[in-house]
Amino acid sequence: MTTPTPHVRATGAGPAVICLHANASTSSQWRDLGDALSARHRVLAPDLYGAGRSPDWPSDSRIALRDEVDFLAPVFDQAGESYVLIGHSYGAAVALIAAVTWPERVHALAIYEPTLFAVVDAQQPQPNGTEGIHAAVAASVAALEAGDLHEAARHFIDYWMGDGSLAAMPEQRQQPVAESMRNVRRWAHALTTAPTPLEAFAALDMPLLYMLGASSPESVHAVARALIPRLPKVEVVEFAGLGHMAPVTHPDIVNAEIVRFVAAMAP
């Protein structure tokens, strides 16, 4: 059986930077950042399982973040012995698990609102700030099981971006987002089960930029409250007026912060 390998968008030359995208997105969300970094860095932006031009995961309901990390092993190997990891949302959660798995290879981390809800639920039962995302996922799954991908996308996207956000998207963008909702059950499984112990993140002894949107849903702020105190070399940046999808909706603002951080990490 052929081992599945990710499709990778690659640009530039120099020390490696790996960029991991959010759910309902693809590696293309990092195109502008790749352009900004490519003069001095080799930028590798893979499509995760079931996204963009990468192969699909064989189950529609179960996947672990470690499965995503294993899938990306060829990208990490291509990056060499040391690299900077960048991630947004689900991609930020994958980046954290990759750093826990291979801390000696990750030179630095820049993450925007990792969605590691399991660490919050393991720390404290609900109500704990994660109720909104659990409700949104349940509504999306119900719509998916009823055969309505658009309604599944509406629940999911509007939770993250505000009521009416899916409807406000160009029609040509709505369809691929709706199609991506076939993955919602496995995204939820990856992010809400088998939590990595918080103590594992305390061992991440590398510079880490943790970015937040002040207007983001409470669920990601709950994750931040659990994670940030455990991270030994963390720098926190909160963007006033921005939300969870700011790396996509306001890439100029977020990318400028990432470029600053990556430049400071240069050998």
Side-chain angles (χ1 to χ4, degrees):
M1 186 174 66
T2 303
T3 302
T5 57
H7 172 262
V8 182
R9 183 186 300 270
T11 186
V17 176
I18 301 173
C19 304
L20 306 181
H21 63 80
N23 289 143
S25 186
T26 71
S27 58
S28 64
Q29 82 165 72
W30 298 116
R31 185 181 291 112
D32 290 348
L33 180 62
D35 290 344
L37 292 173
S38 60
R40 296 187 177 183
H41 295 273
R42 178 68 167 163
V43 182
L44 304 171
D47 290 325
L48 300 177
Y49 265 124
R53 294 168 62 185
S54 280
D56 204 6
W57 175 254
S59 168
D60 68 357
S61 61
R62 290 182 179 271
I63 193 171
L65 292 175
R66 182 55 197 259
D67 294 321
E68 298 277 14
V69 171
D70 290 345
F71 177 58
L72 296 175
V75 184
F76 301 138
D77 290 343
Q78 185 179 348
E81 295 182 357
S82 179
Y83 42 81
V84 176
L85 266 180
I86 296 168
H88 169 213
S89 190
Y90 185 85
V94 175
L96 280 169
I97 300 306
V100 167
T101 305
W102 294 305
E104 70 283 356
R105 299 175 68 180
V106 179
H107 181 57
L109 274 166
I111 52 176
Y112 193 102
E113 295 185 345
T115 47
L116 283 172
F117 307 118
V119 300
V120 181
D121 291 335
Q123 220 183 1
Q124 177 185 340
Q126 297 180 36
N128 58 14
T130 66
E131 296 78 29
I133 184 58
H134 286 297
V137 166
S140 290
V141 169
L144 177 65
E145 292 177 345
D148 193 337
L149 288 171
H150 191 275
E151 184 66 3
R154 185 184 69 79
H155 286 292
F156 190 79
I157 297 301
D158 286 10
Y159 171 77
W160 288 116
M161 300 182 69
D163 291 345
S165 292
L166 180 70
M169 287 182 182
E171 287 190 15
Q172 65 268 28
R173 175 64 183 140
Q174 290 187 34
Q175 187 57 37
V177 169
E179 288 293 331
S180 76
M181 289 301 108
R182 301 183 190 278
N183 302 326
V184 70
R185 286 173 293 208
R186 68 183 189 221
W187 295 339
H189 184 267
L191 297 171
T192 62
T193 64
T196 300
L198 283 169
E199 294 73 21
F201 300 108
L204 295 181
D205 190 31
M206 71 280 291
L208 194 154
L209 174 65
Y210 198 119
M211 294 170 284
L212 291 158
S215 300
S216 295
E218 169 60 15
S219 59
V220 288
H221 286 275
V223 174
R225 289 193 297 271
L227 283 178
I228 288 171
R230 271 79 178 182
L231 301 170
K233 294 183 179 178
V234 66
E235 174 192 355
V236 180
V237 173
E238 183 169 282
F239 298 98
L242 299 190
H244 182 66
M245 294 305 295
V248 175
T249 61
H250 296 79
D252 52 338
I253 297 173
V254 177
N255 288 350
E257 199 63 42
I258 296 173
V259 169
R260 173 198 65 80
F261 178 75
V262 172
M265 295 301 108

